[in-house]
Structure formats: structure tokens, C-alpha cells
Amino acid sequence: MPSLDLLLVTIIGLAAGVLAGRVVSEHGYGVPGDIVVGIVGALIGGWVFGVVVGVVAWGLVGELITAFVGAVILLWLLRLVVPAKG
């Protein structure tokens, strides 16, 4: 993987993780946590859009939307498994 692709994946993962963290739990998970949430979310979102819906995202905006939706799904599932402290 060229270094530019790795940088792009990291930036999209960070942006998607930050946005999803704010939507689902009203806070982020720090830079490393947001990157992981965003990248794993991108994998989940790619599967959901590709296999379930039958749509493939193109371009930077499409990839960001796919990663964001997947990250929201990931955080929602994690909240079902691990309830919030409070």
C-alpha cells in the first residue's frame, strides 16, 4: 500500500471515527481510538453497502459516508454489548 493511500485511510478513519463518536456518545475516543473506530467502521460500512444494499461508494465523500455509517453501526453494537457507565 503506497504511503499516500495509508495516509488517506488514516484521515478518513479519523474523520469518520470523530463524527460517529460525537453522534453516538457525544464524545470522541481520542485520536487513536477514533482512527480504529473509523477504519473498522469503514470495513463494516463497505460490507453493509456492498453486500446488503448493493451500492459501492466512489470518491472521497462516498468513502467518508461509508466509513461514518459503519462506525455508527460499530459503536451502536458496542453499546449493546458494553453498557455505558453511569
Side-chain angles (χ1 to χ4, degrees):
M1 174 182 284
S3 60
L4 185 59
D5 289 344
L6 182 60
L7 179 65
L8 190 59
V9 166
T10 304
I11 291 171
I12 289 173
L14 176 61
V18 166
L19 291 172
R22 301 265 188 250
V23 168
V24 173
S25 62
E26 298 177 0
H27 63 81
Y29 298 97
V31 172
D34 287 338
I35 290 172
V36 170
V37 166
I39 291 173
V40 173
L43 296 172
I44 293 170
W47 179 80
V48 167
F49 280 116
V51 174
V52 177
V53 181
V55 176
V56 178
W58 291 98
L60 185 62
V61 174
E63 292 173 2
L64 182 59
I65 291 169
T66 300
F68 170 72
V69 169
V72 168
I73 292 170
L74 172 66
L75 293 176
W76 179 73
L77 290 172
L78 285 175
R79 289 187 82 178
L80 288 177
V81 175
V82 181
K85 295 178 182 178

